[in-house]
Each structure stands twice: as C-alpha cells, then as structure tokens.
Amino acid sequence: MSSETGSEEAIGSSRVIKSVFFALLLDLLGFTLILPLLPSILDHYGQTEDSVYQSLQSIVDWFREAVGVPMETKYNSVLFGGLIGSLFSLLQFMSSPLTGAASDHYGRKPLLILTTLGLMSSYAVWAVSCSFSMFLLSRVIGGICKGNVSLCTAMIADLPCPKARNKGMMMVGIAFSLGFTVGPLMGAYFAINSSKEEVFYHGPAVLALVFSAADLLFIIVMLPETLPKQNKTQVSSVTSGIQESGDLLNPVALFHFSALTRTEDPPSKEKMQNLKVLGLVYFTYLFLFSGLEFTLSFLTHQRFQFTSMQQGKMFFFMGITMALIQGGYARRIKPGHHIRTVRLAILLLIPAFALIGLAWNLKMVYIGLILYSFAAAIVVPCLTTLVSDHGSANQKGTVMGILRSLGALARALGPIVASSVYWIAGAETCFIISSTSFIIPLVLLRRLGGLKQE
C-alpha cells in the first residue's frame, strides 16, 4: 500500500515539476527579450525631451561624477540600465512577500494567473509606448507583478518528497539558464529584423506579450494546484492581518522571517534560526555576486574593448555553461549534500573573480567565467532547496516570497556598491575585495545547526 502511495506521489511530483518548468520558461523568455535592447531603448528616448528621462539622467550624471565614471555613451547606458534594474528589483523586494503570503491564503494557481495578467498588461503598455514615461510605467507594472518565480518555487516547495523538491529546484535553475540564454537572442533577432515603418522594440514587445499569453493559457489549462484547500491559511482578525502585512514590508522583519512566527503553527526556534542564517547567506551571496556581475560590462569594455556583440557572446557562453552544469551535475545532488556543495561553489568564486579582475588576456577571463558559471548554476538552487524545507504546508508561499524579496534587495543594492568601488578604487581592487568578501557567506554557513549534511 505504501509503495503504491509513493508511486502516485512520484507521478504527481513529476507532473508538477514539468508543468512548473514549462510555465516558468515561458515567463522568462518573455521577460528576457528586453535585456539586449535596453541600451538602444535608452538611447532612443535620450533623443527626446521627456521630462522623466531627463530627471533620471540627472541622477545618473550625479552618480557618474561622484564616483568618477568616464563620460562615454557606453558607460552612461550601463549606469542608466542599472538604475532601471535597481528600481525593478526594489519593486520586487516589496511585492514578493505579499504575493507569497497571499498564495498561502488563496492558492498558488490563482495568484499565478493574477501576476501573469499583470505581466501581460506591462508588455502591452511597452508595445504601445511612445514616450519614456510609458516605457517606465511598463517596467513599474512588471516589477510589481513579477511574482511568478517565487510562486513557482513555492509550488516546488509544496512537494512532499525532499528528492522531488531538489529535482524541482534544479529544473527551476535550468529554466533560468535557458530563458536568460535564448530570450535575449530572440529579442535581438526580432529588433534587428523589424521593418523600417515600426519602432525597433515593437516586435520584441509583442513577442513578450505572446509568450505571456501562452503562459497564462498553460497555467489555466495544465498547471495543477499544489496547495490543498485544508492547508490554506486563514486570517483570524483585521489586527493580525495588519501585523502580518507589516512583517512582510519591514526589511528588518523580512531578514528575521517574522511573519512565520505569527501563524498558528510557527517553526521551532532552531528552524527559525537556521532560516535566518540561510536568508542572510542568500542575501550576502547575491549582493556580492550581482555587483561583480554588473561591473563585468565595465571591465570587459575598458580592458579588452568589448563591443555589445562580444559581451552578448560572453553572457551566452555563461548561460550555456550554467545550463550544462545544472542539467548534468546539479540535478543529481543528493538531499543532505547541499550545504557542502554550496560551500564548494562559493569557495570557487574567490579565485574566479580574482582571475577576472587581474586578467590580462581573454584566456584568464574565460577560465574565471567557467568557475563563475559553476557557482551561478549551483548556489541559488541549492539554497532555495534548503529554505524550502522550512515552514509548514501553509507557510511555503510566505517563506519563498521572503527569500525572493531578500534576493531582489541584494540585486538592487549590489550593483550600486560594486560600481562605486570599481570607479573609485579601480577594477583590480574592486574584484579582489569583493572576491575575498565571499568568505562572509562561508562563515555564516558554519552557524547552521541541525540541518542534515555530510
């Protein structure tokens, strides 16, 4: 009888993993179409007299002068794009915990449908945008509604078997690698082949809308609900609802995962302590990683005179390498081995970024990028798997939403700090200081207690 139940669970889990993978891949293909076009879009609106653009440009100019960035169009586009990216991440930081908590109450599928409809509206606004203000509005809508990733990871966290959760998180990682590799190529292709009568970004914007519409249809028809009705949370009173909302918006409370302590079935003290440590490791890692990732564009252009096409090829190489590692190695990591694997991956980042920062030829750069890609393929999926083991069945959405929020905050702040150090202290100093700073998450990992590890 137990073997039959186990077999049914395995079949159900496999269906959920495949469905989540496909839904997330469609979402990410639509989301990443804009990435190679952003500098050209900003240059396009820079030729207009849009007051909102001019206001943001004044912020970029102030930052550029403060840290000593050379007055070049290439660097201005990178900094302006970083500002837009930080705004997007800050909106995700605020919305992800609320989306996750709402999915614990209403279910994963209804929230996925709602956020996908929001993303469709953002792509529709982008497609018809004729001013920078409308384009920025589309990014704001997208930032608020981009809850699909945390909801998909919550669906994987709902799976009963640790082995299935591990496989599911690695498939989420593969979806990311494929989406961030194929999506930008498609965006660039449709922009280059756009007709002279239309704006170059109209085709990619419409394609993003098509991907999002297909994703919505797939979610409605094929994606199963993973949160049973009996496991959904109930808000006991208006006061407790307000308190929970405060815990989901307060940065300090988010780092402490305080929203979980107000539920009827809060995690044990040891579980809460481990959750706080994992959240801090996740934030610290992404803060350092996203900062160095952002400054790669500066270094390759400044030291090796990389064009946009060469940088695109570099990121394509990294995406393919990550996908191969996730498909060949990461998904075979056994439960209980995640902490050891995360330690190894973070440890490899120290020589990786040191090599890149000190590189005097492209061979050194690409050796560093291979080590970098290994860590990028391993750390986030493994940490997400470890975090998914915490919280009861009706808390998984809140847990994954808070984790996603901490990651978004790290991605908003990391590039600002790293680019400041890069231009004030120099490329070598920036990469050496940042690479040695990865010792911090390694030390934090030693504070974990009671987690099964080898």
Side-chain angles (χ1 to χ4, degrees):
M1 187 72 176
S2 60
S3 61
E4 289 180 6
T5 304
S7 178
E8 289 175 4
E9 281 187 358
I11 294 170
S13 295
S14 179
R15 181 194 168 201
V16 169
I17 291 169
K18 290 176 182 176
S19 299
V20 167
F21 171 80
F22 193 70
L24 188 57
L25 182 59
L26 285 173
D27 171 66
L28 291 170
L29 286 173
F31 172 71
T32 56
L33 287 168
I34 194 175
L35 297 183
L37 311 180
L38 197 54
S40 299
I41 291 173
L42 296 176
D43 291 342
H44 170 76
Y45 287 120
Q47 300 170 9
T48 66
E49 297 297 324
D50 191 285
S51 59
V52 177
Y53 181 93
Q54 298 301 329
S55 298
L56 291 181
Q57 181 62 61
S58 65
I59 296 173
V60 172
D61 290 339
W62 171 83
F63 180 78
R64 179 179 52 77
E65 292 172 6
V67 301
V69 182
M71 184 56 190
E72 287 188 32
T73 303
K74 169 77 178 180
Y75 296 143
N76 185 76
S77 296
V78 172
L79 290 173
F80 208 127
L83 178 62
I84 301 294
S86 291
L87 172 64
F88 190 90
S89 294
L90 283 173
L91 291 168
Q92 281 194 283
F93 165 68
M94 292 186 288
S95 64
S96 291
L98 297 172
T99 303
S103 76
D104 285 336
H105 181 69
Y106 297 104
R108 316 292 184 221
K109 190 169 180 174
L111 264 293
L112 264 173
I113 292 171
L114 185 63
T115 55
T116 305
L117 284 169
L119 287 174
M120 286 179 65
S121 67
S122 76
Y123 296 140
V125 172
W126 178 30
V128 301
S129 64
C130 52
S131 67
F132 179 75
S133 301
M134 285 187 69
F135 170 73
L136 188 62
L137 175 63
S138 74
R139 301 306 291 165
V140 169
I141 297 171
I144 294 171
C145 298
K146 192 71 177 73
N148 297 41
V149 176
S150 60
L151 291 171
C152 284
T153 54
M155 296 185 80
I156 298 297
D158 288 334
L159 299 178
C161 174
K163 189 175 181 180
R165 288 199 296 270
N166 176 58
K167 181 183 176 182
M169 292 304 178
M170 295 307 160
M171 292 302 292
V172 167
I174 293 172
F176 262 89
S177 296
L178 291 176
F180 276 81
T181 301
V182 178
L185 290 176
M186 295 179 70
Y189 175 81
F190 277 87
I192 291 170
N193 291 280
S194 60
S195 63
K196 294 181 179 180
E197 292 76 24
E198 65 180 15
V199 186
F200 68 93
Y201 58 77
H202 183 261
V206 171
L207 183 60
L209 182 59
V210 170
F211 273 129
S212 194
D215 192 25
L216 178 65
L217 183 63
F218 180 82
I219 290 168
I220 293 172
V221 176
M222 300 298 294
L223 196 68
E225 174 59 69
T226 58
L227 184 66
K229 189 174 182 180
Q230 65 269 21
N231 288 341
K232 294 179 181 178
T233 58
Q234 301 295 325
V235 179
S236 56
S237 67
V238 175
T239 304
S240 65
I242 293 172
Q243 288 175 332
E244 184 178 345
S245 298
D247 290 335
L248 296 171
L249 293 171
N250 183 340
V252 177
L254 289 173
F255 275 98
H256 287 85
F257 288 82
S258 300
L260 299 182
T261 62
R262 299 189 188 278
T263 57
E264 295 179 0
D265 184 26
S268 66
K269 188 176 180 180
E270 185 181 37
K271 282 276 190 181
M272 284 300 299
Q273 180 60 31
N274 285 336
L275 198 52
K276 293 174 189 177
V277 172
L278 287 169
L280 199 54
V281 170
Y282 187 80
F283 172 83
T284 308
Y285 164 78
L286 279 178
F287 174 82
L288 295 168
F289 185 89
S290 63
L292 291 176
E293 185 181 49
F294 183 75
T295 56
L296 262 179
S297 297
F298 294 137
L299 184 140
T300 53
H301 178 69
Q302 188 181 39
R303 190 174 295 174
F304 300 105
Q305 291 75 51
F306 266 28
T307 63
S308 297
M309 178 62 73
Q310 286 173 307
Q311 288 189 344
K313 289 178 180 178
M314 178 183 71
F315 284 108
F316 178 76
F317 168 80
M318 289 154 53
I320 292 296
T321 305
M322 287 170 58
L324 291 173
I325 292 168
Q326 286 166 332
Y329 170 71
R331 66 189 183 94
R332 292 184 171 86
I333 299 171
K334 297 177 181 178
H337 292 198
H338 294 96
I339 297 174
R340 185 186 68 175
T341 309
V342 168
R343 283 197 183 112
L344 172 63
I346 294 177
L347 195 61
L348 287 175
L349 280 176
I350 298 175
F353 283 118
L355 273 172
I356 294 170
L358 298 173
W360 60 83
N361 59 51
L362 289 179
K363 185 177 180 180
M364 288 179 67
V365 172
Y366 274 90
I367 291 172
L369 289 178
I370 290 171
L371 298 176
Y372 162 105
S373 300
F374 178 83
I378 296 296
V379 177
V380 169
C382 282
L383 287 177
T384 307
T385 301
L386 289 167
V387 171
S388 70
D389 291 335
H390 294 73
S392 58
N394 60 1
Q395 297 170 339
K396 299 293 187 183
T398 302
V399 170
M400 304 316 294
I402 292 174
L403 185 72
R404 180 71 180 169
S405 175
L406 295 179
L409 181 62
R411 289 192 174 278
L413 301 178
I416 297 172
V417 175
S419 55
S420 299
V421 176
Y422 183 97
W423 290 109
I424 292 171
E428 292 86 354
T429 304
C430 173
F431 274 77
I432 292 299
I433 290 175
S434 298
S435 63
T436 54
S437 297
F438 281 103
I439 294 172
I440 297 171
L442 287 174
V443 172
L444 288 171
L445 281 170
R446 296 179 66 88
R447 294 170 55 187
L448 290 173
L451 287 182
K452 184 183 177 185
Q453 53 180 303
E454 200 177 76

